[in-house]
Amino acid sequence: MAIYHLSVSNVSRASGSRATATLSYITGKRVHDERRGETYDYGRKERVLRVGTLLPEGAPAEFADPAVLFNAVELHETGRTARPAKKIVVALPREFTPRQRVQALEEYIRENLNADGYAATYAIHEDREGNNPHAHILVANRQIDPATGGWARLKQRMEYVLDEHGERVPLIDPKTGAQKTDKRGRRQWKRTSVSLNPLDRKAKLKALRESWAKTCNARLDETARIDHRSLEDQGSDLEPTIHEGYAARAIERAGGVSERCEANREIRRSNGLLTAIRTELGRIFDRLGELFAAKISQLRQRRTQPEPAREPNWRYYAGDARRQLEADRADHTAALRGKLTGARADVRSREEWWKSHGTEEHEAAKQIIDVARAASREARDANIFRRGSLRRKAEQVAGEQSARLRMAVPWLEDTTIPSDWEQANRFRMRTTKAIYDHDMKPRTDLVADLEQRLGQAERAEGEQISPEQVEDLARRMAERRTEAEKPKPTRTTDGNGPSTPEEAPREPQPRETPQKPEEARRKTKADLFAAIERKTREKTGEERQRRQEREQTLDDLWEMGQWNNPGHGFSR
């Protein structure tokens, strides 16, 4: 996946840097510094894939040689704290072909540096494993005048410091508290150095960052786009990763664990989990919206149809029953798949835990066995005069520790610790494996059971639903509908017992128009349909807005094994 990186730094004499030395480092070639009379050769030719120099309009032709170019700018800059060059480092997307890398770099340099009068040399690097493609761009920190072909005259100038009213700020003598004056009695004012170099301006640096993202995105697929903005500027609440650096990656390549790399892995797991949860919630809300819309459509269709005079036919609900059965199968399969993913993640998490912690039973068993091992080792290393007594002592200690081991780990089958040093070592290894297998068995058994159940569910989901199942569910749905529409019994005015509305019609009250029970029921249903439709529109509108912020799939994260707790899976 493409990542974004662009950093800008100064080649400054104040910090001991030289433009010629930096050129040797990025190109892997020998470069002679004419100003200091030194020669730099940093090697690293195995990492340099391509070197190129691009010049602005009006630049001398000899500047096409990068050694000539940066010797010229070093000779021109005479200050002790001069900054003859700037270095830009960019990450090249792995999706780029070698030709696309060169095209993107040269287009970026022409549009952002050559167009402003800067000459630059670039070098494309890779690490020894062929990963981490990136490029170094060394830029002469003084513009070239296209009219003369020489260096521009000014990079900075002195200006007066102004206060909030636009007035010059006086230069105060700390001893007298009065404004300083020169030898001729002229008053002195505060002045400051203002850079005329566009590369020193914050706006130009922001434009460089944005332009690199645009240049790369023009050649990348929509799914691999990069963004120059920080997570905070993007409005994201995800935690940003930290810079790892070459030293941290070298530790990882050597088989160690770097704190910076480990911190980044934890940040990525946390961000992935948060993104997955949001994505899954978006899917759930989408599904709810679809179900509400489908139910509204069904209710509208039923409302336009005349009410059945008799008990509803079960075939009327056959379609709903079939869809319900299909949805139940799909939900059951999805729930098992989520549980299986969580169970596998739990197994991996427990294995990682065992690498650094173990269990209480394991620690207790090791301590008990180590006591017997120490006694057997002492007997092994003793001289011939003490060996017999120490062996008897080792046998006694082994027996005592075996009894302690049976109490500490009662389920362990073999608890007899040998008194021989070699056999005790092998016994310790067997005991560790037995405790590990005992601790992992419930988790591995759960994974195997879920895999079997998931396979059965997937095969069942692919099978056709039988007509008997559809009929059985449709009949139960029809029965529930009939039961819900039965009129509730009421009590007659004389208190003799319950009666139906037909047996005891309600007398019309003043200012009330008598209504038939059927008409009153229809009015209530119409009101119910309208209320459900209104609430559905409100709900689906809100959830659709939230869904636009959650466009990453949960399945990718499950395949990456980012779940650390089976409780994160969705189950029914």
Side-chain angles (χ1 to χ4, degrees):
M1 180 180 180
I3 61 172
Y4 179 87
H5 172 79
L6 186 146
S7 61
V8 182
S9 58
N10 286 303
V11 177
S12 173
R13 289 179 185 167
S15 61
S17 301
R18 305 286 183 270
T20 49
T22 305
L23 178 65
S24 174
Y25 173 80
I26 69 171
T27 60
K29 299 178 181 179
R30 292 171 58 91
V31 177
H32 181 72
D33 191 323
E34 298 176 2
R35 187 179 71 87
R36 296 175 58 87
E38 299 177 353
T39 300
Y40 304 103
D41 187 4
Y42 287 98
R44 304 183 69 174
K45 299 179 180 59
E46 72 280 3
R47 293 183 57 190
V48 181
L49 303 182
R50 182 184 177 92
V51 176
T53 301
L54 300 179
L55 303 177
E57 181 181 358
E62 58 268 21
F63 281 2
D65 185 349
V68 175
L69 169 63
F70 289 99
N71 267 302
V73 73
E74 281 281 0
L75 291 171
H76 187 79
E77 302 290 348
T78 58
R80 294 172 56 189
T81 60
R83 295 180 295 178
K86 288 186 183 293
K87 185 170 71 171
I88 304 174
V89 181
V90 296
L92 295 170
R94 294 183 180 180
E95 292 82 356
F96 278 179
T97 63
R99 180 179 180 83
Q100 287 177 322
R101 295 175 181 175
V102 176
Q103 290 176 344
L105 270 175
E106 294 189 350
E107 177 184 328
Y108 177 74
I109 294 172
R110 290 193 185 96
E111 294 181 355
N112 296 275
L113 300 174
N114 294 161
D116 291 338
Y118 294 101
T121 295
Y122 69 85
I124 299 176
H125 289 191
E126 276 187 351
D127 60 17
R128 292 172 181 169
E129 288 77 20
N131 301 319
N132 189 27
H134 61 280
H136 298 260
I137 306 173
L138 189 61
V139 187
N141 202 23
R142 187 179 287 269
Q143 295 165 296
I144 295 177
D145 188 348
T148 63
W151 300 109
R153 295 187 58 186
L154 294 178
K155 284 203 302 183
Q156 58 186 16
R157 67 184 179 191
M158 300 299 294
E159 291 185 354
Y160 288 110
V161 177
L162 303 179
D163 59 15
E164 62 272 11
H165 303 294
E167 301 292 336
R168 291 181 295 178
V169 177
L171 189 62
I172 304 300
D173 189 342
K175 295 181 179 180
T176 63
Q179 185 176 2
K180 287 184 177 182
T181 58
D182 60 7
K183 294 181 179 180
R184 297 182 181 181
R186 294 176 297 186
R187 292 180 294 177
Q188 300 295 303
W189 308 90
K190 285 186 178 181
R191 295 195 300 171
T192 185
S193 176
V194 178
S195 175
L196 301 179
N197 186 8
L199 285 179
D200 289 333
R201 298 172 185 168
K202 188 174 182 180
K204 178 62 176 178
L205 296 180
K206 287 185 176 181
L208 287 175
R209 290 181 58 82
E210 182 177 359
S211 178
W212 177 243
K214 290 182 178 179
T215 302
C216 292
N217 288 336
R219 295 169 172 81
L220 288 172
D221 188 73
E222 293 183 358
T223 59
R225 297 292 172 86
I226 59 177
D227 197 325
H228 68 284
R229 299 173 299 170
S230 65
L231 290 175
E232 181 179 359
D233 293 338
Q234 296 177 36
S236 172
D237 58 355
L238 297 179
E239 183 180 359
T241 55
I242 61 176
H243 180 67
E244 295 177 353
Y246 177 82
R249 296 195 181 100
I251 293 173
E252 294 278 328
R253 285 196 298 271
V257 178
S258 167
E259 292 183 2
R260 287 179 170 268
C261 295
E262 183 65 22
N264 275 345
R265 283 191 286 268
E266 185 61 32
I267 291 171
R268 293 189 186 99
R269 282 194 292 267
S270 176
N271 289 342
L273 179 60
L274 180 60
T275 303
I277 291 174
R278 289 176 172 174
T279 302
E280 186 62 20
L281 286 176
R283 291 183 176 182
I284 292 173
F285 289 133
D286 290 345
R287 179 60 178 163
L288 287 175
E290 294 173 358
L291 292 175
F292 273 116
K295 182 59 67 176
I296 288 297
S297 176
Q298 294 174 7
L299 293 175
R300 284 177 176 173
Q301 294 177 2
R302 294 177 183 178
R303 186 171 57 180
T304 58
Q305 298 175 358
E307 287 288 334
R310 298 180 180 179
E311 179 180 338
N313 191 345
W314 66 268
R315 291 183 177 82
Y316 182 77
Y317 298 92
D320 291 343
R322 183 177 296 278
R323 285 187 290 272
Q324 182 64 44
L325 290 171
E326 293 174 351
D328 289 345
R329 284 185 176 182
D331 292 343
H332 179 62
T333 304
L336 288 176
R337 190 175 291 113
K339 290 181 179 179
L340 177 59
T341 302
R344 287 172 175 169
D346 185 40
V347 170
R348 291 192 296 270
S349 176
R350 193 61 177 179
E351 289 174 348
E352 294 296 328
W353 173 267
W354 260 93
K355 291 179 181 178
S356 57
H357 296 83
T359 62
E360 294 182 359
E361 289 182 339
H362 178 230
E363 294 298 326
K366 286 198 303 183
Q367 294 177 6
I368 292 171
I369 297 173
D370 287 345
V371 172
R373 287 173 68 239
S376 62
R377 182 176 182 178
E378 185 180 2
R380 184 200 64 177
D381 298 339
N383 56 39
I384 191 170
F385 301 103
R386 300 184 57 202
R387 190 173 300 165
S389 61
L390 290 178
R391 282 181 178 176
R392 289 190 294 273
K393 179 181 177 181
E395 293 174 356
Q396 180 183 357
V397 172
E400 294 172 354
Q401 296 304 111
S402 297
R404 292 185 59 194
L405 182 61
R406 282 191 291 273
M407 296 178 63
V409 192
W411 52 264
L412 193 63
E413 294 181 359
D414 184 8
T415 58
T416 303
I417 304 175
S419 60
D420 180 72
W421 163 255
E422 298 295 338
Q423 296 179 6
N425 286 336
R426 289 192 290 271
F427 178 81
R428 188 176 186 269
M429 295 175 61
R430 292 197 305 273
T431 303
T432 298
K433 185 178 185 305
I435 296 176
Y436 172 81
D437 293 341
H438 181 270
D439 182 63
M440 296 297 295
K441 189 176 186 304
R443 295 171 173 82
T444 55
D445 289 348
L446 177 59
V447 171
D449 178 63
L450 288 174
E451 288 177 346
Q452 181 181 3
R453 291 168 57 190
L454 178 59
Q456 295 174 353
E458 289 176 345
R459 289 191 296 271
E461 189 175 1
E463 296 176 356
Q464 190 174 7
I465 299 174
S466 66
E468 292 77 11
Q469 293 176 307
V470 175
E471 180 180 351
D472 180 64
L473 181 57
R475 288 186 180 278
R476 283 188 276 121
M477 295 172 70
E479 291 173 359
R480 287 195 296 268
R481 172 66 180 275
T482 303
E483 189 67 25
E485 292 184 351
K486 284 183 179 181
K488 295 182 179 180
T490 58
R491 187 165 296 277
T492 58
T493 55
D494 56 3
N496 291 330
S499 64
T500 61
E502 290 77 9
E503 297 172 348
R506 185 171 60 90
E507 292 293 332
Q509 301 296 326
R511 299 183 182 181
E512 183 180 36
T513 303
Q515 291 184 346
K516 296 181 180 180
E518 186 67 19
E519 294 176 353
R521 186 174 59 180
R522 289 180 179 175
K523 182 177 180 181
T524 303
K525 287 184 179 180
D527 295 340
L528 176 61
F529 291 149
I532 293 176
E533 183 176 0
R534 181 175 63 257
K535 291 181 179 179
T536 302
R537 286 199 302 269
E538 295 174 356
K539 188 66 175 178
T540 54
E542 294 173 0
E543 301 308 330
R544 187 176 295 108
Q545 184 177 1
R546 295 179 184 176
R547 187 182 71 247
Q548 294 174 356
E549 303 174 0
R550 303 158 181 159
E551 292 297 328
Q552 184 176 354
T553 60
L554 179 63
D555 295 337
D556 294 340
L557 184 60
W558 282 344
E559 293 176 0
M560 292 167 60
Q562 299 295 325
W563 298 94
N564 293 327
N565 190 314
H568 291 302
F570 290 89
S571 61
R572 294 184 181 272

